Amino acid sequence: MMNFESCEINNIVIHDIGNKYEDGKLRLSESCFLPDDMDVHNLLKSYFLAPFKKDAYYRFAPIEDNLYHNLVYNAVNSIFEDNTNFYEASLNIAQHLFDQSNHPNIKAGELYMVHFKNCVLEEGPCDAIGIFKSETKDTFLKIIMNDNSYQLESESGINIKKLDKACLVFNVESENGYRVSILDKTNSTEAVYWTTDFLGLEQCEDNYFQTSNYLKLCKDFVQEVYNQENDIPKADQIDMLNRSIDYFKKADTFNENLFKEEVVADPQIIDAFENFKNYYEEKNELALKDQFDVSNSAVKDEKKYFKHVLKLDKNFHVYIHGQKKYIEKGYDSDRDMNYYKLYFREEN
């Protein structure tokens, strides 16, 4: 897990990145700076680092089998080798970002490059290079005194609670493309621009990756195979999703054989699940392991996509969190309507 309690900002530079497609300009700062005021230092530290919480890591991808052909990797690597290269590296990165900002949907904004000291990962303390882009401006009201009376003026600025695009490169595993954490609170098209086109990253196939993709596999299996088109009642589909997420919430280590035995259970359904897994891996060009340590961060991130609601006409929404044996479906011939019978001990 990332820990930034003892982290300090060692250097900052800001460049202005226009939209090249709309004839915007690249405006480069002539020097770096460090805030003198400790309150400003702490505000900036919180602004840059607070959003980084989950252990989903990426790494720089080689270009033509050579990591040094990846421009951002090369620039960051030069800083880790000698921090006096910080400003020169920032110019190369700013130019590269400007060159990628060649689409009408890409917003102009400020590029911040920050050198951090004493970030803590599992391996211990390390330096990190932060690459941030601020695109969204907010309007603030400033109170001023004028002729012994208070007045208000509007002012445009950056909301320190909102960070649009961010990347933290930790100085570990340099030979494998470093360990990189990213943030992008924009749409998927812009995510490609930031993550792939500009940074040149690929996701690490670590425990987060394995956990996240296996849960996506379970969700897609229910949607595409274990569904009403194959005569699976909606309540049974929700039950399968519940048992899948519960398995991951309770297990420290995922074991595919145990998962299929405890969650999928039925031999025919297991065969269908195995076939769908092969299809899922081929479609997404990945290989899922049959055993790995469960990432709690991935479980938390994917859990919100698992739906537990049984919608009955326009009259009822039933939220199912328990076991299938406590819900029973039937048909009332007198009313010519389906019904569900729910078993419970207490009414809250």
Side-chain angles (χ1 to χ4, degrees):
M1 293 294 291
M2 294 173 276
N3 187 313
F4 303 119
E5 287 184 15
S6 58
C7 179
E8 297 178 353
I9 295 174
N10 188 58
N11 214 346
I12 302 177
V13 65
I14 304 173
H15 304 299
D16 185 61
I17 312 295
N19 184 306
K20 192 174 184 179
Y21 183 88
E22 298 176 347
D23 295 324
K25 304 300 180 185
L26 173 63
R27 297 179 177 87
L28 301 170
S29 292
E30 294 183 354
S31 62
C32 306
F33 75 97
L34 264 178
D36 296 326
D37 191 306
M38 201 61 194
D39 289 337
V40 175
H41 177 280
N42 291 332
L43 279 172
L44 287 172
K45 178 180 165 182
S46 176
Y47 172 59
F48 291 133
L49 300 178
F52 290 94
K53 295 176 181 176
K54 62 184 182 181
D55 54 354
Y57 291 111
Y58 289 72
R59 62 188 175 201
F60 289 108
I63 297 174
E64 297 176 349
D65 297 324
N66 191 330
L67 269 171
Y68 289 95
H69 290 170
N70 183 313
L71 190 147
V72 180
Y73 171 88
N74 200 24
V76 168
N77 184 73
S78 72
I79 299 171
F80 287 139
E81 289 184 347
D82 183 353
N83 60 28
T84 62
N85 293 326
F86 179 78
Y87 176 73
E88 189 65 31
S90 80
L91 299 180
N92 294 332
I93 288 177
Q95 181 66 56
H96 178 52
L97 180 57
F98 179 66
D99 291 339
Q100 300 303 318
S101 303
N102 198 21
H103 189 280
N105 291 341
I106 294 174
K107 301 179 183 70
E110 289 80 35
L111 169 71
Y112 303 80
M113 269 192 61
V114 187
H115 185 189
F116 297 99
K117 292 282 190 180
N118 297 321
C119 299
V120 178
L121 297 180
E122 292 86 346
E123 294 86 349
C126 65
D127 286 9
I129 300 299
I131 303 171
F132 311 93
K133 189 182 177 196
S134 174
E135 299 171 334
T136 306
K137 296 292 187 297
D138 285 346
T139 300
F140 300 91
L141 290 176
K142 184 168 66 173
I143 302 173
I144 60 171
M145 174 69 79
N146 189 3
D147 294 332
N148 296 321
S149 294
Y150 287 107
Q151 296 180 358
L152 294 174
E153 283 187 0
S154 65
E155 194 170 272
S156 178
I158 298 167
N159 187 336
I160 62 169
K161 300 294 184 182
K162 297 178 182 177
L163 188 58
D164 295 310
K165 292 179 170 65
C167 161
L168 266 184
V169 185
F170 298 99
N171 190 12
V172 295
E173 301 176 8
S174 60
E175 67 284 355
N176 294 322
Y178 291 113
R179 194 178 304 173
V180 185
S181 184
I182 64 168
L183 175 76
D184 190 348
K185 293 188 176 180
T186 52
N187 60 50
S188 57
T189 301
E190 291 187 50
V192 171
Y193 142 74
W194 179 252
T195 306
T196 306
D197 298 341
F198 167 54
L199 293 170
L201 297 175
E202 59 186 11
Q203 192 167 1
C204 297
E205 297 186 11
D206 52 14
N207 293 328
Y208 184 100
F209 176 91
Q210 295 291 335
T211 304
S212 176
N213 274 285
Y214 215 100
L215 283 169
K216 288 174 183 174
L217 162 67
C218 295
K219 177 172 63 66
D220 289 358
F221 173 71
V222 171
Q223 289 178 344
E224 299 182 31
V225 178
Y226 197 73
N227 56 24
Q228 288 172 299
E229 292 179 7
N230 291 313
D231 299 323
I232 306 297
K234 187 68 175 179
D236 287 14
Q237 296 173 47
I238 295 173
D239 179 64
M240 174 73 82
L241 291 174
N242 284 342
R243 284 185 285 124
S244 299
I245 201 74
D246 285 345
Y247 177 94
F248 277 90
K249 285 166 66 177
K250 294 173 182 176
D252 293 323
T253 301
F254 174 82
N255 182 293
E256 188 174 85
N257 290 330
L258 287 176
F259 176 82
K260 289 187 289 191
E261 180 182 321
E262 295 177 17
V263 176
V264 187
D266 187 290
Q268 286 186 317
I269 307 301
I270 289 175
D271 287 342
F273 182 81
E274 290 173 344
N275 290 333
F276 185 78
K277 182 191 173 190
N278 292 334
Y279 161 77
Y280 181 89
E281 289 177 316
E282 184 176 337
K283 174 187 173 185
N284 294 284
E285 298 181 349
L286 54 84
L288 293 175
K289 297 179 180 178
D290 53 18
Q291 187 163 323
F292 52 84
D293 291 338
V294 172
S295 164
N296 293 328
S297 296
V299 175
K300 183 179 178 182
D301 289 342
E302 292 300 324
K303 181 182 176 182
K304 59 179 174 284
Y305 300 112
F306 278 59
K307 305 302 182 185
H308 308 278
V309 185
L310 180 63
K311 297 181 180 180
L312 307 177
D313 298 332
K314 294 183 179 179
N315 296 319
F316 305 103
H317 284 184
V318 181
Y319 290 81
I320 303 175
H321 300 287
Q323 300 178 37
K324 184 177 67 174
K325 64 182 180 181
Y326 298 125
I327 183 168
E328 184 179 306
K329 187 175 182 179
Y331 173 74
D332 187 320
S333 57
D334 292 336
R335 300 188 184 190
D336 189 25
M337 295 180 73
N338 298 308
Y339 67 81
Y340 277 102
K341 187 186 292 185
L342 308 178
Y343 295 91
F344 63 94
R345 296 190 186 280
E346 296 181 6
E347 182 175 347
N348 296 322

